[in-house]
Amino acid sequence: MKRISIAPQLRFRHHGDDLPLDKVLSLLTQVQVHGNLQAASQALGQSYRGAWGHVKEVESLVGAPLLTMARGRGAALTPLAQRLLWGQKRLQARLGPLLETMASELQTELDDLLLQGSDQLRLFASHGLAVAALVDFAGRAGLPIEVSYRGGIEAIAALAKHECEVASFHVPIGALAEPVLAHYGPLLKGKSYRVADVASRRLGLIVARGNPLGIHALADLPRTGARFANRERGSGTRIIFDLLLARDGIDPCAIAGAENIEFTHAAVAAYIASGRADAGLAIEAAANQFGLDFLPILTERYCLMFPEAASDSPHLQGLLKILQSAEYRQAVHAIPGYSEAATGHVTPLAEAFPPLG
């Protein structure tokens, strides 16, 4: 299937020169992995001479070295090269879901033109690795799906206004479930919806490797002066964070950087891993992705929701078939901090969450 994709790109411009940095960033990534330029160039299918020439070209343009070379000791990234790589990672973590949403919307517009009004299943979801995998499975199965990554409240509001056929939200398992559900209550109470479980996942504080500030609980954030990377208001994670602070009697104003906003778990992790923040509330998989320490706080249930009346839709049935497949369950199982124990289980809203019945 032909699909539109949009990717962020770092470029360097100076005195009329305009050089995309994709190629050198790929090379630097491989040098970081292999420890020398020869192995890095081989991993990318390039000649050593060509790789060396490209590094020198970029160094000449930016006016500073990217690699330190020593005979018999391989190659190492300079602080500039490391900062460029972290910039690329933060860029992808922050903008990736937004650009995927834009590409999906554009694909729908093109399909409407080229295929004369093709029918799409519209999914509004908060970004996570399990739902991203589900969208990928759907694409490979040829299921026409338009994904738009939104905060939980925004996604459920869109479902109520018939702007999408499927929406996601996530709810803590345990004492915080009821206060979180209260935020969704006005949009869901009494609705004839069905709930499909995608996964359960662990949520907690993520901190730099080795936990240099000695953070072990939310109460340690004001004490240590840790710089916090927060999520946007209306996101499920921000709702949980605010409830956790209220439960523990912590003033949000006492947390440094609590209004520093990132829009995905991966972006929070990338911000911390690059040294621009010390802690954030995010899923374990994001901590694992960026080599950070994870301090678990709770487990939450990530679900999809759709109207009872749409249950027989062929596209929706196709999505549920993927959700219930052994292959998809294996993919969820492979994500750190995720469990597929209830994946694919479908129940009426009132049964899944009695307070909303």
Side-chain angles (χ1 to χ4, degrees):
M1 179 180 288
K2 298 176 181 178
R3 304 295 297 176
I4 291 284
S5 65
I6 308 172
Q9 183 187 67
L10 290 179
R11 304 179 71 89
F12 190 84
R13 293 190 175 100
H14 181 64
H15 293 326
D17 290 312
D18 184 0
L19 182 68
L21 299 181
D22 318 53
K23 187 176 174 182
V24 77
L25 288 173
S26 297
L27 193 57
L28 294 175
T29 299
Q30 291 302 318
V31 170
Q32 196 171 50
V33 171
H34 296 285
N36 67 76
L37 188 60
Q38 180 73 47
S41 58
Q42 289 176 350
L44 295 172
Q46 301 175 12
S47 70
Y48 176 84
R49 178 181 234 175
W52 175 250
H54 187 60
V55 169
K56 291 301 180 189
E57 177 190 13
V58 176
E59 287 181 341
S60 174
L61 190 60
V62 301
L66 297 174
L67 295 176
T68 56
M69 311 284 286
R71 186 178 296 278
R73 289 189 296 172
L77 272 59
T78 64
L80 172 63
Q82 293 172 8
R83 187 55 56 189
L84 283 173
L85 281 185
W86 275 116
Q88 176 76 357
K89 289 177 181 178
R90 290 206 314 273
L91 183 66
Q92 183 57 51
R94 183 179 292 178
L95 297 183
L98 172 62
L99 295 179
E100 187 177 340
T101 295
M102 294 176 66
S104 185
E105 291 171 354
L106 179 56
Q107 184 69 51
T108 298
E109 293 171 10
L110 294 177
D111 288 345
D112 286 343
L113 272 174
L114 299 174
L115 304 178
Q116 298 183 343
S118 65
D119 188 20
Q120 300 271 342
L121 181 70
R122 296 170 299 175
L123 167 64
F124 280 28
S126 57
H127 189 267
L129 296 181
V131 76
L134 183 62
V135 172
D136 182 57
F137 270 72
R140 285 190 272 126
L143 184 68
I145 185 167
E146 178 187 340
V147 61
S148 185
Y149 289 118
R150 311 289 181 96
I153 293 291
E154 189 179 359
I156 296 301
L159 183 67
K161 292 185 286 188
H162 309 290
E163 293 174 356
C164 62
E165 288 73 48
V166 185
S168 81
F169 77 130
H170 44 99
V171 178
I173 296 171
L176 283 184
E178 193 164 340
V180 167
L181 287 171
H183 283 77
Y184 294 101
L187 295 168
L188 293 175
K189 199 167 182 65
K191 293 288 181 68
S192 296
Y193 288 154
R194 293 182 73 80
V195 174
D197 280 273
V198 176
S200 62
R201 61 188 191 181
R202 296 208 301 174
L203 184 76
L205 283 172
I206 56 177
V207 297
R209 175 70 76 184
N211 195 3
L213 295 183
I215 297 168
H216 299 288
L218 287 170
D220 293 326
L221 297 176
R223 177 185 63 79
T224 60
R227 298 164 298 164
F228 197 74
N230 211 347
R231 292 293 305 280
E232 77 281 13
R233 294 190 183 279
S235 69
T237 302
R238 179 60 177 266
I239 290 171
I240 291 170
F241 178 65
D242 290 343
L243 287 170
L244 287 170
L245 293 185
R247 181 197 69 182
D248 295 348
I250 301 170
D251 182 357
C253 296
I255 298 177
E259 292 308 316
N260 291 334
I261 302 303
E262 294 294 337
F263 289 91
T264 67
H265 295 279
V268 168
Y271 210 67
I272 295 166
S274 65
R276 298 181 67 85
D278 302 303
L281 186 68
I283 56 175
E284 184 175 356
N288 183 270
Q289 181 182 353
F290 288 93
L292 301 170
D293 284 0
F294 177 75
L295 311 170
I297 293 178
L298 55 85
T299 298
E300 58 181 2
R301 182 179 174 186
Y302 188 102
C303 308
L304 297 181
M305 193 174 303
F306 55 90
E308 287 265 11
S311 297
D312 295 329
S313 156
H315 292 340
L316 187 53
Q317 285 297 313
L319 190 69
L320 293 177
K321 184 177 179 180
I322 293 169
L323 197 65
Q324 294 163 350
S325 69
E327 293 79 10
Y328 179 72
R329 290 172 61 86
Q330 288 169 3
V332 171
H333 178 78
I335 303 172
Y338 275 67
S339 169
E340 81 290 1
T343 299
H345 187 54
V346 181
T347 52
L349 174 62
E351 183 180 328
F353 300 106
L356 300 176

